C-alpha cells in the first residue's frame, strides 16, 4: 500500500491510445486552446480600454474570462504534451497541484456566475439604485468571495486527496488528474474523499445555483412588471448570454461530479471533461461578444481606431 507521497509518478491514459487520433486531437485542441487564450485575454483588454464597458456586469465578465484562461491552462498544455509524447506520465506533485487548482477554479467560476446573476437582478430590478448599490467597493467585495472561498475549499479537498492510498496501480483513466479517477484507482482512504467530494459539490453547486435561480425569478417578476415592450426585450437580451453560459457549465459539471466514481461514470466523465475544460472556456467570450450589443459596438470602435491609426 502506497501513500500519495510514496508514488513518484502517475500514468495518464489520455483521450485515446490510437496514434492517428492523437495527432488529430493535438491539432484540434491546440487550435481550441489558442482561440481560448486570444478570446479571453482579448475580452479582458477590451473591457479595460473601453469606457462603455465600465459597468459592474463587464467587471465581473473580465474576471470570468480571467478564470477561464487559468482553468484551460491548468489542463490543456499537459493534455497536449501527452498527446505527442511517448511517456504519458505526470509527477505526484504536479498531479496534486493540478487537482488543487482545478477544484479552486471550478468553485471560483460557479460563484462568479452566481454574482453575475445577482448583478443582473440589481440592474433590472432596481435600475435607479443600481449605480449606488453596485459601487466599485461593493463589486470588489462581491468578486473577492469566489476567489477566497474557492481556494479555501480546494485546500481542504486537496488534503483529502493527499490522504488516498494506492496498491501499485498508478494508471489514471483520464487526461488530467481529477478526483473521480483517483478515487477509483485508490485502494484505501477513498470513503472520506468520495463522500466529501459529493457532499461539497452538492452543497456548493446547490447554493450557487440557488442564487442564480432566485435572482432570475426576481428578474422575471421585474420584467413582467415593465410596461414597455422595448424595455422587456432589452432586459431579456442582457440575460441571454449569462443564462447560456450557466446552462452549459452547470450541466456538464453536475454530470461529472454528482455521481459515485464507477468505471462507467469515469469513462463518461472523461468525455464530458473535454467539453468543460477546453470548449467552454473558448465559448464564453464568443457567447458574450456575439450576443451582446455593447461588446460588439466596443469591438467595432477598437478595430476602427486601430485601422485608422495605421
Amino acid at each position: 500500500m502506497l501513500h500519495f507521497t510514496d508514488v513518484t509518478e502517475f500514468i495518464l491514459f489520455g483521450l485515446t491510445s490510437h496514434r492517428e487520433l492523437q495527432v488529430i486531437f493535438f491539432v484540434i485542441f491546440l487550435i481550441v486552446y489558442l482561440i481560448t487564450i486570444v478570446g479571453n485575454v482579448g475580452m479582458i483588454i477590451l473591457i479595460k480600454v473601453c469606457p462603455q464597458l465600465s459597468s459592474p456586469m463587464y467587471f465581473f465578465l473580465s474576471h470570468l474570462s480571467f478564470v477561464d484562461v487559468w482553468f484551460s491552462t491548468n489542463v490543456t498544455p499537459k493534455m497536449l504534451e501527452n498527446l505527442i509524447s511517448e511517456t504519458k506520465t505526470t509527477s505526484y506533485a504536479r498531479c496534486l497541484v493540478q487537482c488543487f487548482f482545478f477544484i479552486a477554479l471550478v468553485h471560483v467560476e460557479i460563484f462568479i456566475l452566481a454574482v453575475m446573476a445577482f448583478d443582473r437582478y440589481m440592474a433590472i430590478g432596481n435600475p435607479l439604485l443600481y449605480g449606488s448599490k453596485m459601487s466599485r467597493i461593493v463589486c470588489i467585495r462581491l468578486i473577492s468571495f469566489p476567489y477566497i472561498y474557492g481556494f479555501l475549499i480546494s485546500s481542504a479537498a486537496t488534503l483529502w486527496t493527499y490522504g488516498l492510498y494506492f496498491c501499485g496501480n498508478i494508471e489514471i483513466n483520464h487526461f488530467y488528474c481529477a478526483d473521480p479517477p483517483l478515487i477509483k484507482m485508490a485502494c484505501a482512504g477513498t470513503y472520506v474523499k468520495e463522500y466529501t467530494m459529493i457532499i461539497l459539490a452538492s452543497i456548493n453547486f446547490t447554493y450557487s445555483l440557488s442564487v442564480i435561480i432566485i435572482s432570475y425569478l426576481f428578474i422575471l417578476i421585474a420584467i413582467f412588471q415593465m410596461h414597455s415592450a422595448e424595455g422587456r426585450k432589452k432586459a431579456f437580451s442582457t440575460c441571454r448570454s449569462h443564462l447560456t453560459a450557466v446552462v452549459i457549465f452547470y450541466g456538464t459539471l453536475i454530470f461529472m461530479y454528482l455521481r459515485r466514481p464507477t468505471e462507467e461514470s469515469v469513462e463518461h466523465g472523461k468525455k464530458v471533461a473535454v467539453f468543460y475544460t477546453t470548449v467552454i472556456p473558448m465559448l464564453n467570450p464568443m457567447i458574450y461578444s456575439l450576443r451582446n450589443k455593447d461588446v460588439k459596438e466596443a469591438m467595432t470602435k477598437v478595430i476602427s481606431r486601430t485601422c485608422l491609426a495605421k
Side-chain angles (χ1 to χ4, degrees), residues 92-299:
Y92 84 87
R94 184 169 184 172
C95 186
L96 205 63
V97 169
Q98 191 173 55
C99 280
F100 171 77
F101 279 104
F102 182 85
I103 296 168
L105 293 170
V106 164
H107 283 88
V108 173
E109 181 138 350
I110 63 173
F111 282 104
I112 286 179
L113 289 170
V115 168
M116 292 175 76
F118 175 74
D119 171 70
R120 289 299 80 213
Y121 159 66
M122 293 299 294
I124 295 169
N126 301 281
L128 298 178
L129 300 175
Y130 181 62
S132 59
K133 293 288 186 181
M134 296 296 289
S135 64
R136 186 71 177 179
I137 294 175
V138 171
C139 289
I140 291 171
R141 288 174 180 171
L142 284 172
I143 203 62
S144 297
F145 172 77
Y147 288 103
I148 295 169
Y149 183 75
F151 279 89
L152 286 175
I153 284 291
S154 182
S155 298
T158 306
L159 283 174
W160 286 313
T161 302
Y162 182 80
L164 295 174
Y165 288 82
F166 304 93
C167 300
N169 182 19
I170 59 169
E171 296 175 334
I172 301 176
N173 184 19
H174 220 294
F175 58 91
Y176 69 93
C177 287
D179 279 346
L182 281 172
I183 292 170
K184 186 69 184 67
M185 64 184 275
C187 60
T190 59
Y191 183 83
V192 173
K193 177 61 185 176
E194 181 178 333
Y195 284 96
T196 51
M197 181 190 75
I198 295 172
I199 291 168
L200 280 176
S202 301
I203 292 171
N204 290 310
F205 289 173
T206 301
Y207 179 68
S208 57
L209 197 55
S210 297
V211 173
I212 293 171
I213 292 170
I214 292 170
S215 296
Y216 273 102
L217 285 175
F218 282 111
I219 287 170
L220 284 173
I221 293 170
I223 289 174
F224 288 132
Q225 289 177 343
M226 293 178 180
H227 301 294
S228 167
E230 185 65 29
R232 287 195 294 270
K233 183 180 177 182
K234 185 177 179 181
F236 274 121
S237 68
T238 63
C239 298
R240 282 183 305 181
S241 300
H242 179 256
L243 278 173
T244 304
V246 166
V247 169
I248 294 173
F249 193 71
Y250 273 86
T252 52
L253 281 179
I254 288 170
F255 183 85
M256 177 76 175
Y257 281 97
L258 295 187
R259 301 186 301 165
R260 290 195 63 186
T262 62
E263 195 69 47
E264 184 182 4
S265 70
V266 168
E267 190 62 37
H268 289 166
K270 183 166 66 172
K271 297 170 184 175
V272 175
V274 173
F275 190 73
Y276 70 75
T277 57
T278 60
V279 179
I280 291 179
M282 178 190 70
L283 287 179
N284 277 343
M286 294 182 182
I287 290 169
Y288 281 97
S289 59
L290 297 176
R291 304 188 69 176
N292 189 295
K293 184 180 176 182
D294 291 337
V295 173
K296 286 191 286 188
E297 287 178 356
M299 287 175 65

